[in-house]
C-alpha cells in the first residue's frame, strides 16, 4: 500500500474536470450491451469500478472496445462465461449485472474482492427470485450464481431505498412478460429510469413506484457521461471549508436526485452556485462553483434525506467536524454495508484528526475539536481516503497520512493530480 501525506493548502483555486459519473456509466454500458445496435459511451477518467463492468461484459462475449475515453459497444446476447465474472470492488456492477443477466436468461457466477464478498446480496437475490430467477448466494453474499431461465413480471417492495436494487429489477423486467412494478421506501437516484426511457423502453416512475412493461429491448444510443456529482462533492466541501477558495467544476451531472449534497452544504452556509448549461442524453448538465464563505453552521441529517446523500456522507462528516456547533447523522445504517463500514471508518478518522465525535448505531454526532495530525486507515475505501484528504487540505485536521492512496482509483483515479493542480504549496 502506498501512503500519501496531505497538508493544508495555502489557497484552493482552479477548474476541475471530475471523472464521468459512475452510476450513469455502469448503466450506459449495461443497457447498450443488451441493446439493438451499436453505440459509444464516452467516459472521462473512469475508475476501476467502471473497468469492472467493462471486463464483465467482455467476459460475457459482448463486443466492447475501449479507446481513450470512448467505449464502443455492439449490443448482443450473452455467452456463458468460462470463469466467474470479476466485479472487483464494485457493488453496482454486481447488483445491476445480476438483474441484467437474469433478464437475459443468462447463466454465470458473479464474484468480487474481499470487501465486495462481505456485502449483502440477498437484497438483490430475493426480488429476482420473486420474478422466477434462479439465484444462489453464498450465505447471503458473493459469489452469486445466476441460473438462467425465463422470468415473470412481479410486484416488488424493496426494503431499502437503493437505486442499485431498483436498477437490477428494472433490467430484469426487460426479460419478463407483463408489467413489473417496484416500490422504494424513499427516493433514490433515478438514472436507470431516465436512461432506459431514453433508449425507448416503456418504463415510468410515479412517486416512489416504477413500472416497466416487458419484454423490451433498449435501442442502442451513444451517451457522453457527464461529471460525477459524488466526485464533485470533494471539491465542494474543500472549497466551502477553506478560507481562500474558488473552484469551478465545469461539466457535472445536475440530476436533482444527486444534488442533495449541494442543498446540505448550503443549509450549513456554503456559497455554491449551480448553473444549468444543457443536457447529455437523459441527464441535465452544467457547472458548479464554490467559493469560501463564512464558517459553516451545524446540520442534522436523517430520514428520507439519507438515501439522497448516501455517497457524500463521509465528506459531510468532515464538513460537520469543522462546523460551528454539534451536527448529527441518523438513519444511515446503510453506511455500515458500503465498501467499508463507513460509520466506523469515519468515527475513527474524525477522532484521529481531533474532532469530538460519538458513534451511533446508525450514524454519528460530531463537533469541532483541536485539529491534529493523524494517520488515516482508509480500509481500502475510496470515499474514506478522499474525505480525509479533503479534511487535511482545508485545515480541518493538522495534516494526514493516508495509508492507502491508491484506494481513490475505484472512483477517481485522477484525484491526487487534481488536488495538486488546485492546491498551492502547503502553508
Ligand atoms: C449507486 C447507488 C448507491 C450508491 C452507489 C451507486 C448506483 O447504492 O451508494 O455508490 O449507481 O445505483 P445504493 O443504491 O445501494 O444505496
Amino acid at each position: 500500500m502506498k501512503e500519501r501525506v496531505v497538508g493544508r493548502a495555502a489557497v484552493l483555486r482552479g477548474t476541475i474536470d471530475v471523472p464521468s459519473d459512475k452510476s450513469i456509466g455502469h448503466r450506459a454500458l449495461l443497457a447498450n450491451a443488451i441493446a439493438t445496435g451499436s453505440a459509444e459511451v464516452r467516459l472521462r477518467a473512469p475508475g476501476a469500478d467502471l473497468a469492472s463492468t467493462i471486463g464483465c461484459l467482455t467476459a460475457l462475449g459482448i463486443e466492447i472496445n475501449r479507446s481513450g475515453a470512448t467505449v464502443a459497444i455492439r449490443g448482443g446476447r450473452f455467452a456463458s462465461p468460462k470463469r466467474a465474472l470479476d466485479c472487483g470492488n464494485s457493488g453496482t456492477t454486481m447488483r445491476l449485472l445480476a438483474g441484467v443477466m437474469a433478464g437475459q436468461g443468462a447463466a454465470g457466477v458473479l464474484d468480487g474482492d474481499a470487501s465486495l464478498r462481505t456485502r449483502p446480496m440477498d437484497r438483490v437475490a430475493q426480488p429476482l427470485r420473486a420474478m422466477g430467477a434462479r439465484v444462489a448466494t453464498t450465505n447471503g453474499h458473493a459469489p452469486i450464481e445466476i441460473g438462467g431461465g425465463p422470468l415473470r413480471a412481479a410486484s416488488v417492495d424493496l426494503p431499502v431505498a437503493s437505486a442499485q436494487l431498483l436498477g437490477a429489477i428494472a433490467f430484469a423486467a426487460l426479460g419478463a412478460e407483463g408489467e413489473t412494478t417496484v416500490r422504494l421506501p424513499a427516493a433514490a437516484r433515478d438514472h436507470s429510469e431516465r436512461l432506459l426511457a431514453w433508449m425507448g423502453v416503456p418504463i415510468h416512475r410515479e412517486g416512489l413506484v416504477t413500472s416497466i412493461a416487458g419484454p423490451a429491448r433498449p435501442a442502442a444510443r451513444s451517451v457522453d457521461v457527464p461529471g460525477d456529482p459524488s466526485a464533485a462533492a470533494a471539491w465542494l466541501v474543500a472549497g466551502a471549508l477553506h478560507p481562500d477558495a474558488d473552484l469551478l467544476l465545469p461539466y457535472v451531472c445536475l440530476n436533482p436526485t444527486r444534488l442533495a449534497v449541494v442543498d446540505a452544504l448550503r443549509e450549513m452556509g456554503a456559497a455554491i452556485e449551480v448553473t444549468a448549461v444543457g443536457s447529455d442524453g437523459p441527464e441535465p448538465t452544467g457547472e458548479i462553483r464554490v467559493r469560501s464563505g463564512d464558517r459553516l453552521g451545524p446540520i442534522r441529517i436523517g430520514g428520507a434525506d439519507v438515501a439522497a446523500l448516501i455517497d457524500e456522507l463521509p465528506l459531510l462528516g468532515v464538513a460537520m467536524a469543522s462546523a460551528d456547533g454539534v451536527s448529527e447523522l441518523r438513519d444511515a445504517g446503510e453506511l455500515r454495508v458500503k465498501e467499508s463500514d463507513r460509520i466506523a471508518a469515519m468515527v475513527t478518522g474524525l477522532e484521529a484528526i481531533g474532532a469530538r465525535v460519538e458513534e451511533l448505531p446508525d450514524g454519528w454526532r460530531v463537533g469541532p475539536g483541536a485539529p491534529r495530525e493523524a494517520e488515516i486507515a482508509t480500509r481500502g475505501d475510496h470515499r474514506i481516503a478522499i474525505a480525509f484528504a479533503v479534511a487535511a487540505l482545508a485545515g480541518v485536521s493538522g495534516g494526514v497520512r493516508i495509508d492507502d492512496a491508491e484506494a481513490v482509483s475505484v472512483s477517481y483515479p485522477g484525484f491526487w493530480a487534481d488536488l495538486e493542480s488546485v492546491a498551492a504549496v502547503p502553508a
Side-chain angles (χ1 to χ4, degrees), residues 272-284:
I272 300 175
E273 287 164 50
V274 177
T275 311
V277 173
S279 62
D280 251 310
E283 300 281 349

Side-chain angles (χ1 to χ4, degrees), residues 276-304:
V277 173
S279 62
D280 251 310
E283 300 281 349
T285 61
E287 60 176 45
I288 308 184
R289 182 176 185 184
V290 59
R291 276 177 281 193
S292 307
D294 295 336
R295 184 167 181 195
L296 298 187
I299 189 169
R300 188 184 185 287
I301 296 172

Side-chain angles (χ1 to χ4, degrees), residues 22-23 27 92 95 123 161-164 189 310-311 334 338 383:
K22 201 155 75 69
S23 293
R27 289 161 173 80
T92 313
R95 297 194 179 114
R123 52 173 65 185
S162 162
Q164 292 180 353
R189 63 193 74 187
I310 194 74
D311 291 338
E334 269 297 290
K338 289 294 180 186
R383 302 220 189 268

Side-chain angles (χ1 to χ4, degrees), residues 20 55 88 110 113 116 142 169 195 249 270-271 277 296-297 313-314 332 354 360 369 373 390 396-397 408 418 424:
S20 287
L110 293 161
D113 69 7
L116 189 49
I169 308 309
L195 181 74
L249 313 166
V277 173
L296 298 187
L313 292 170
L360 305 171
E373 285 185 14
V390 164
V396 181
S397 71
V408 302
D418 284 349

Side-chain angles (χ1 to χ4, degrees), residues 188-211:
R189 63 193 74 187
D190 64 357
H191 302 301
S192 301
E193 301 91 301
R194 283 175 182 259
L195 181 74
L196 289 173
W198 184 73
M199 293 173 79
V201 168
I203 178 167
H204 301 282
R205 174 160 176 173
E206 240 181 86
L208 298 175
V209 180
T210 300
S211 53

